[in-house]
Amino acid sequence: MILEVHSANFKKEFLARLSDQSSERRAPGPRGRRLLGSLLEVRRDRLKFVMQMMNEYGDLVCFRMGPKRLYLLNHPDAARHVLIDNVANYRKGLGLAESSPLLGRGLLTSEGGVWASQRRLLQTAFHAGRMEEFGGAMVDATQSMLEGWDRRLKNSPDAAPTFDIAHEMVGLTIRILGATLFRLDFNDIAEDLSTDLTVLTRWAISRMTSLWRLPLQVPTPRNLRAQKSLRRLESVVGQMLRRAQEPGQPRRADDLLSLLVAHDAEPGRESGGVKQMRDEVMTLLLAGHETTAATLAWTWYLLALHPEVARRLQAEVDEVLGGVRPTVADVPRLVYTRMVIDETLRLYPPVWLLPRKAIADDRLGGCVIPAGSDVLVCAYTIHRHRDFWENADDFDPQRFAVEKSTHRVSGSYLPFGAGPRTCLGSRFGLMEVILAVAGIAQRYSLKLVAEQRVEPEAALTLHPRQGLAMSLHARR
């Protein structure tokens, strides 16, 4: 009740300041260094920085990175204003712009008519009628991975085998992506895809926090690594598109590659050509696996830290599945499993930051946001805001029980963003995580290997910095 009253009062004050032109003030924030501002602190530890800013300066913080002023938003109402209420005044911003060599003008980075057209097209690939088919492919891929785990266990009779669960989940989600959206077997290239996408996303985040952004063509060591990875990825994507365009190639109306090829060839339509198709495929290769893999990795981490939660989840899986492999029909019955995943997404949202750039001047909480400003809606800080989440740093799946959902403040939970640019594949990704968790928990328990430092790395997504070493234990 205290949280609800506080939120209601703050919202009234927030909206009053929003409309009161006489209350203009400058957003609070650190002075920073003379030339660098807070750049060094941002580069050193982004999560520590944003939490410190919220704790010291509140719900709207202005800070500098070199000459650039940025506005950090840590409150649900501010998030709603930017992502929903005044969405027309904001376009995609910091971070994704630096990813243009990889993503081009794909769905994540495009704006206006191009974005609207591509979103309508890609929605076709995610229609409800395909969920059963997708679910079957997800379970098949998970079972195939588990058979590999069975062999590892058999070959390690004296000790539990250990491996990097974060790496395993990346491989799983890449194979699922190939089998579902692209109808291709990615088994042989999953490792290379993962490596090259990681190189390029780290290159992009480095550029985001740099004062001097040398073009990719300048042969620095980092640029050379990025160039090599980009060439390999473009070779793979080029082969996929050429195969999809071959005469006589079997096509389906909802096959993603066929959709892109057919859309590009529509009579009277201005063609985006191979470049636009390439951008969409690159975007889906990145967004289609990395966020899901990170969610799975953090789920196993949190379950290992909280064995009582793991036991309850396993009990539900055993009761619902009854010893057989999971299906799409089981997903709505895995209620506690979903609660665990929702709480994981709260503590470790894969898309931890939603960057936007103001088109025209705006006002937030009585402060002017000048046109051209970078505005950072921070899901990570909002999800840990003590005014909206009781014991905000604790792992408590029970907070997502159905009876508690009606009390949640709108905008306080943003695992998939909000507004018109809400994640297109959110339903797909949630089903994938639930089926994978259920399938794995049915057969195995995973325990953290001792004496490792587990740290989140806040790049384009939030994932374990050095991986996640875990040991494998058969339940039966």
Side-chain angles (χ1 to χ4, degrees):
M1 181 61 70
I2 293 175
L3 297 182
E4 293 174 45
V5 171
H6 178 94
S7 175
N9 290 341
F10 183 94
K11 190 166 186 176
K12 288 178 182 177
E13 295 170 8
F14 184 88
L15 294 176
R17 291 198 303 266
L18 197 65
S19 58
D20 181 5
Q21 300 296 319
S22 66
S23 66
E24 271 188 24
R25 60 187 178 87
R26 182 173 177 175
R31 292 184 61 183
R33 293 169 175 82
R34 183 184 297 274
L35 296 178
L36 299 180
S38 299
L39 181 62
L40 295 181
E41 289 79 5
V42 171
R43 289 180 69 91
R44 188 177 300 122
D45 190 330
R46 283 176 278 278
L47 295 182
K48 180 180 178 181
F49 175 77
V50 296
M51 287 299 294
Q52 182 179 350
M53 291 301 98
M54 179 175 72
N55 291 334
E56 289 189 15
Y57 299 103
D59 297 324
L60 175 62
V61 184
C62 179
F63 66 97
R64 286 190 302 111
M65 289 202 306
K68 184 191 292 288
R69 288 194 179 277
L70 302 96
Y71 293 83
L72 179 69
L73 276 54
N74 304 311
H75 194 280
D77 295 333
R80 282 184 53 82
H81 178 79
V82 170
L83 300 176
I84 300 174
D85 299 335
N86 198 25
V87 66
N89 188 51
Y90 292 89
R91 57 184 176 85
K92 282 297 183 86
L94 194 72
L96 291 175
E98 282 71 25
S99 304
S100 58
L102 172 62
L103 304 178
R105 295 183 70 202
L107 192 66
L108 281 179
T109 53
S110 59
E111 299 286 348
V114 172
W115 170 80
S117 174
Q118 292 303 104
R119 185 170 175 106
R120 283 193 300 270
L121 172 67
L122 295 177
Q123 278 178 328
T124 308
F126 290 94
H127 69 75
R130 293 197 70 190
M131 288 300 129
E132 188 76 32
E133 176 189 350
F134 284 162
M138 292 168 182
V139 173
D140 286 344
T142 304
Q143 296 299 313
S144 177
M145 180 189 70
L146 290 174
E147 289 169 6
W149 290 9
D150 292 343
R151 290 190 290 271
R152 293 192 205 185
L153 197 63
K154 185 178 180 180
N155 293 331
S156 304
D158 300 324
T162 62
F163 49 78
D164 179 357
I165 194 67
H167 183 74
E168 291 287 315
M169 295 301 98
V170 167
L172 172 63
T173 55
I174 287 178
R175 290 190 292 273
I176 287 174
L177 180 67
T180 53
L181 293 186
F182 296 112
R183 298 183 189 277
L184 294 173
D185 185 346
F186 280 178
N187 282 328
D188 293 337
I189 62 172
E191 188 78 24
D192 289 340
L193 285 175
S194 171
T195 298
D196 292 331
L197 287 167
T198 298
V199 167
L200 285 160
T201 53
R202 285 180 173 166
W203 175 85
I205 203 73
S206 174
R207 284 173 60 83
M208 186 183 87
T209 55
S210 296
L211 292 181
W212 299 278
R213 297 182 184 125
L214 296 174
L216 181 58
Q217 294 73 23
V218 177
T220 65
R222 186 184 292 272
N223 279 356
L224 289 172
R225 288 193 296 272
Q227 289 172 20
K228 184 178 180 180
S229 289
L230 187 59
R231 283 195 299 269
R232 284 202 299 244
L233 282 172
E234 292 194 322
S235 175
V236 170
V237 171
Q239 292 175 31
M240 292 166 61
L241 290 173
R242 285 192 295 273
R243 180 179 176 185
Q245 291 173 300
E246 288 176 358
Q249 184 71 21
R251 296 191 176 104
R252 288 178 39 157
D254 54 5
D255 176 271
L256 182 60
L257 292 173
S258 298
L259 279 169
L260 291 171
V261 170
H263 185 64
D264 189 66
E266 285 178 2
R269 180 185 171 280
E270 183 179 348
S271 173
V274 173
K275 177 64 169 62
Q276 185 63 51
M277 290 189 285
R278 171 263 186 215
D279 292 348
E280 297 302 346
V281 174
M282 283 285 201
T283 296
L284 287 165
L285 282 176
L286 175 63
H289 89 277
E290 188 165 331
T291 54
T292 310
T295 302
L296 284 165
W298 290 122
T299 300
W300 298 121
Y301 171 68
L302 290 167
L303 287 172
L305 290 179
H306 299 85
E308 72 288 352
V309 175
R311 285 191 291 270
R312 181 172 173 184
L313 182 145
Q314 289 172 339
E316 178 184 75
V317 166
D318 292 344
E319 180 181 354
V320 170
L321 301 187
V324 300
R325 57 184 266 163
T327 67
V328 173
D330 295 317
V331 170
R333 300 168 60 209
L334 293 164
V335 176
Y336 189 70
T337 303
R338 170 66 186 270
M339 289 162 58
V340 169
I341 292 163
D342 285 342
E343 177 69 342
T344 300
L345 286 167
R346 184 187 70 84
L347 285 173
Y348 295 102
V351 183
W352 67 282
L353 194 70
L354 301 165
R356 297 292 187 268
K357 187 177 285 290
I359 297 170
D361 287 355
D362 198 5
R363 296 172 57 79
L364 283 169
C367 301
V368 172
I369 308 295
S373 295
D374 286 290
V375 174
L376 310 175
V377 179
C378 190
Y380 187 84
T381 54
I382 292 171
H383 287 187
R384 292 171 182 256
H385 198 305
R386 299 185 190 284
D387 290 339
F388 303 97
W389 300 97
E390 190 173 357
N391 301 317
D393 294 328
D394 293 349
F395 176 62
D396 179 15
Q398 205 59 40
R399 71 175 87 239
F400 284 95
V402 174
E403 63 271 16
K404 295 187 177 182
S405 62
T406 56
H407 302 297
R408 193 173 308 130
V409 174
S410 176
S412 64
Y413 187 59
L414 303 166
F416 305 108
R421 297 197 79 135
T422 300
C423 175
L424 179 64
S426 58
R427 183 183 176 191
F428 175 97
L430 269 175
M431 182 174 73
E432 181 178 359
V433 174
I434 292 170
L435 290 172
V437 167
I440 295 169
Q442 186 181 39
R443 289 166 61 174
Y444 285 105
S445 294
L446 294 163
K447 297 182 180 179
L448 281 171
V449 173
E451 297 182 359
Q452 63 172 313
R453 186 174 181 180
V454 179
E455 292 181 300
E457 180 179 15
L460 293 183
T461 59
L462 187 63
H463 53 265
R465 183 184 301 275
Q466 301 295 339
L468 195 56
M470 304 194 80
S471 58
L472 184 65
H473 304 267
R475 291 190 58 208
R476 299 188 178 90

